[in-house]
Amino acid sequence: MNKNISSPPHKIIGVAVIWNDKQQILIDRRRPEGSMGGLWEFPGGKIEPGETIEECIKREIDEELAIDIEIGEHLVTIDHTYTDLKVTLTVHECKHLKGVPQTLECDEIRWVNLEQLEEFNFPDANFQIIASLKEKVGNRKQLNIQNPI
C-alpha cells in the first residue's frame, strides 16, 4: 500500500439559500483569484471549531454580506470531491431580515428567481442545491404553501 497517496483536504461548509420577500434568492460571484474564482455561489463558509452549522451560517453571512438573516429549515447536505478539495455542504433555507447586502468578500451580488439560477455558472456541488430547491418549491406549490421558509 502506498502511503504517499493522500486524500484532498476536507472542508465542512455552512451554506445559506437566502430568500427575500419577493421570493428571490441571493447569490454572489466569487472573486477571480483563488479557488473557483468567478463562479457564482450561495453564500456561506467554513465551520469553525465549536460552532454549529446555524452559527456558522449566521456569522459568515454577517462577515461576507453584512445582513441579518433568520436560519430556516435544513434543505440538503452534499458531499462532493473536487480534484483538490472535498467539501460537505450543509444547506439551510434562510430569510433576509434586514440590511442591504454588501460585496465585502465577493465581486457581485444578485437577487434572482429560482428559474434564473440556471443562467449562472456555479461550482459543481451547487447543482444539487439547485435541484433540491426546485423539488422543494415544486412540492410547496402542490401544497399551496407561499412562504419559502
Side-chain angles (χ1 to χ4, degrees):
M1 190 161 129
N2 188 347
K3 293 182 180 181
N4 292 330
I5 297 174
S6 63
S7 58
H10 182 211
K11 293 183 181 179
I12 299 171
I13 300 172
V15 178
V17 174
I18 304 169
W19 293 91
N20 67 13
D21 291 338
K22 298 176 183 173
Q23 307 300 304
Q24 295 173 313
I25 300 165
L26 184 71
I27 59 172
D28 64 68
R29 190 162 50 88
R30 298 172 71 96
R31 291 189 171 145
E33 63 278 357
S35 178
M36 295 179 253
L39 296 179
W40 290 85
E41 66 181 357
F42 299 97
K46 292 182 292 188
I47 192 167
E48 296 192 354
E51 197 173 45
T52 67
I53 287 291
E54 293 84 355
E55 290 167 340
C56 167
I57 292 171
K58 271 190 102 61
R59 176 185 51 76
E60 286 285 347
I61 298 310
D62 182 54
E63 290 174 1
E64 293 180 7
L65 302 168
I67 60 173
D68 288 331
I69 61 170
E70 174 186 323
I71 307 293
E73 290 182 17
H74 172 259
L75 177 67
V76 66
T77 297
I78 298 163
D79 287 310
H80 187 85
T81 303
Y82 294 98
T83 54
D84 60 342
L85 177 68
K86 180 179 178 183
V87 294
T88 298
L89 306 178
T90 302
V91 186
H92 280 261
E93 290 188 272
C94 302
K95 181 179 180 182
H96 177 244
L97 296 177
K98 65 180 180 175
V100 176
Q102 307 296 310
T103 54
L104 301 176
E105 294 189 21
C106 61
D107 263 7
E108 191 175 346
I109 296 167
R110 296 246 183 109
W111 287 103
V112 298
N113 296 320
L114 181 59
E115 299 77 30
Q116 293 174 296
L117 289 174
E118 293 178 9
E119 299 171 17
F120 298 87
N121 291 324
F122 285 88
D124 290 342
N126 284 244
F127 293 110
Q128 288 178 263
I129 298 172
I130 295 168
S132 294
L133 275 170
K134 287 182 176 184
E135 180 181 344
K136 191 163 188 180
V137 168
N139 290 339
R140 284 185 191 129
K141 286 181 181 175
Q142 286 179 344
L143 297 172
N144 200 24
I145 299 171
Q146 300 298 317
N147 191 358
I149 63 166

